[in-house]
Amino acid sequence: QMQLVESGGGLVQPGGSLRLSCAASGNSFSGYAVAWFRQPPGKEREFVSALRWSGGSTYLADSVKGRFTISKNSAKNTVDLQMNSLKPEDTAVYYCAVGRPIVSAIRNQQMYYYWGQGTQVIVSS
C-alpha cells in the first residue's frame, strides 16, 4: 500500500511559478510511473505530466510543454512538478498518482491505482 501526499499548491498571479511535490509513504517509487493530473473547475480530470522512476523518462501534456517540468528527488523520494509562466487556465486541483502503465497508456488515469488527495492551484490576479 502506498500513500501519496501532495504539497506546494496555492494562489499565484499569472506569469508566476509554483512547485508541487508528491511524497510517498509506505513504499518507494522504484518500478513505478508517477504522474500529475489536474481537474479544472467544472471539467474532467486531465493528464499533465508523468515520470518513470526507473529510467527517468518524462512525459508532458502539450498544454504545459515549455512551462512545466517534472523531476524526481531520490533522496527525498518525491516527484516534483515545477510550473512556470502560469496561466489562469492552469487553475485546478492537482493530483499525484502512481501506477505501472505501459508507455502508450502513460496518460490514461485508469492505469494509476494510488492517488493523493490533491492540492489546489489558483492562478489569478
Side-chain angles (χ1 to χ4, degrees), residues 65-122:
K65 282 181 180 176
R67 301 188 298 122
F68 290 13
T69 304
I70 191 170
S71 61
K72 69 178 186 180
N73 186 321
S74 298
K76 295 183 178 180
N77 198 37
T78 63
V79 173
D80 300 333
L81 185 68
Q82 177 66 41
M83 307 187 296
N84 298 327
S85 302
L86 283 161
K87 305 175 181 179
E89 51 264 43
D90 294 318
T91 294
V93 178
Y94 284 71
Y95 297 92
C96 175
V98 169
R100 290 194 171 106
I102 58 176
V103 172
S104 61
I106 198 80
R107 294 169 174 79
N108 186 344
Q109 57 184 299
Q110 293 182 344
M111 297 294 106
Y112 295 85
Y113 33 83
Y114 296 119
W115 288 82
Q117 293 299 307
T119 185
Q120 178 75 58
V121 172
I122 299 174

Side-chain angles (χ1 to χ4, degrees), residues 5-55:
V5 177
E6 303 98 336
S7 61
L11 173 64
V12 64
Q13 292 187 342
S17 298
L18 281 175
R19 188 176 184 88
L20 305 183
S21 186
C22 175
S25 62
N27 211 334
S28 165
F29 286 134
S30 180
Y32 290 98
V34 183
W36 287 95
F37 291 84
R38 67 185 181 187
Q39 186 165 17
K43 297 184 179 180
E44 294 187 351
R45 191 158 55 187
E46 63 185 18
F47 172 81
V48 177
S49 185
L51 174 148
R52 290 193 177 277
W53 188 267
S54 302

